[in-house]
Amino acid sequence: MTASAAVLLSGSLMTASAAEADAVPMSITYAYVGGGHAGYNTANHHAWVCDDASDGHSVYGVYHFADGNTEYQFGDTDGNNGNCADRYFDKSASWYKVCLSKAGFDPCSNEVYP
């Protein structure tokens, strides 16, 4: 069975400290799933997905955008080696989820994997 966690990007984001008031405001969120996590920075549209466990499963993120018709999916497929997969988008994501890919039904994609 695949597990997933979703984050809605809204007013509950962490923001930069007052000392950084002159800098570009930065809001970073994280979502966790057994064996991995994903993140998103609203200031520069930077997204990342990390496999945190050496369990033979990969982790992927699905990022959705405000137009409602666009989503972008990518994953950390090289295992728990300290490197994360990342992307910079040209627009702001409205929400995202992180999924653990393993045999069985995948609630993130609604597909079944052997």
Side-chain angles (χ1 to χ4, degrees):
M1 176 83 38
T2 300
S4 69
V7 173
L8 176 63
L9 301 178
S10 66
S12 63
L13 301 176
M14 298 180 294
T15 58
S17 69
E20 299 169 333
D22 293 334
V24 174
M26 178 174 58
S27 296
I28 298 176
T29 60
Y30 297 92
Y32 296 88
V33 66
H37 72 277
Y40 183 70
N41 181 334
T42 60
N44 60 7
H45 312 303
H46 182 214
W48 59 94
V49 178
C50 304
D51 187 348
D52 298 328
S54 298
D55 57 8
H57 308 300
S58 62
V59 177
Y60 68 96
V62 182
Y63 291 78
H64 294 263
F65 300 92
D67 62 14
N69 297 321
T70 307
E71 73 175 37
Y72 189 83
Q73 178 176 313
F74 68 98
D76 184 0
T77 58
D78 60 0
N80 178 24
N81 62 3
N83 297 323
C84 297
D86 72 323
R87 304 287 186 276
Y88 284 89
F89 301 127
D90 61 357
K91 55 187 169 184
S92 185
S94 54
W95 68 278
Y96 67 97
K97 59 186 173 181
V98 58
C99 306
L100 181 63
S101 181
K102 57 192 220 183
F105 176 70
D106 179 354
C108 288
S109 67
N110 292 321
E111 295 183 19
V112 177
Y113 297 96

